Amino acid sequence: MTEEQFMRAAIREAEKARAIGEVPIGCVIERDGKIVARGYNRRMTDHCALAHAELSAIRKACRKAGDWRLEDCTLYVTLEPCPMCAGAIVQARIPKVVFGCRNPKAGSAGSVLDLLHVEGLNHQVSVEEGILGEECAEMMRVFFRELRKRKREAQD
Ligand SMILES: [Zn+2]
């Protein structure tokens, strides 16, 4: 599978979030060329600020591996990780993250913070961005445009 195909799989996860009214963010974790875990944003559904796509996928990948370390995995996510998820990526020793589009409000892989390259920490993460980036960005734009429209209609 190519990087684009893995990101395509992450987009499919994001679509699951959108289908239940959640902000469309999806994630897959790859090991040895195969997807070993998937996750999507369920923050509202689960009533939990921790229910991010990446944390869900990391939890599943760890369970499957029987190890807290995911040293031979790559994490693909449609949106640049937030501080919490970037922290979890470092904690899980994931060596590489590929994200679709930037998150100017909370992105912690270079936009607001760069938690994946903190010299003082004992783990650095290589980062690649922009794989299907325009598609990931458009998915977010459409979601928020529709959300604003629904809010306006509710006020009328
Ligand atoms: Zn997050």
Side-chain angles (χ1 to χ4, degrees):
M1 273 173 85
T2 64
E3 284 192 324
E4 276 197 18
Q5 286 171 312
F6 287 114
M7 189 59 80
R8 180 74 54 207
I11 289 174
R12 277 198 293 277
E13 292 302 302
E15 283 164 356
K16 291 181 191 170
R18 184 178 56 197
I20 55 171
E22 300 273 4
V23 179
I25 304 162
C27 175
V28 300
I29 294 177
E30 173 260 324
R31 169 188 277 136
D32 296 332
K34 290 196 199 97
I35 293 171
V36 293
R38 302 163 195 266
Y40 58 92
N41 175 32
R42 295 178 52 92
R43 191 170 57 177
M44 292 199 306
T45 308
D46 292 353
H47 309 290
C48 181
L50 309 181
H52 285 197
E54 301 95 309
L55 290 198
S56 167
I58 288 170
R59 194 176 288 122
K60 289 177 199 162
C62 286
R63 201 180 298 144
K64 209 165 187 175
D67 196 347
W68 60 269
R69 295 180 203 84
L70 299 174
E71 281 169 336
D72 46 3
C73 293
T74 298
L75 182 143
Y76 291 80
V77 61
T78 55
L79 182 71
E80 182 182 359
C82 75
M84 171 177 72
C85 293
I89 287 162
V90 170
Q91 291 303 316
R93 309 289 188 260
I94 293 173
K96 185 174 178 187
V97 166
V98 180
F99 70 83
C101 63
R102 285 199 166 224
N103 178 356
K105 289 183 179 158
S108 298
S111 289
V112 179
L113 295 170
D114 191 359
L115 292 175
L116 302 182
H117 299 110
V118 179
E119 245 176 69
L121 291 181
N122 57 356
H123 182 73
Q124 316 291 322
V125 182
S126 95
V127 176
E128 196 176 330
E129 66 173 281
I131 305 293
L132 300 182
E134 187 43 45
E135 204 168 316
C136 293
E138 179 63 12
M139 185 166 64
M140 297 294 276
R141 282 194 291 270
V142 168
F143 177 83
F144 285 108
R145 195 185 303 140
E146 285 173 359
L147 189 69
R148 284 192 298 271
K149 193 174 149 212
R150 277 201 301 279
K151 275 187 184 158
R152 272 200 308 277
E153 283 167 359
Q155 284 166 357
D156 291 341

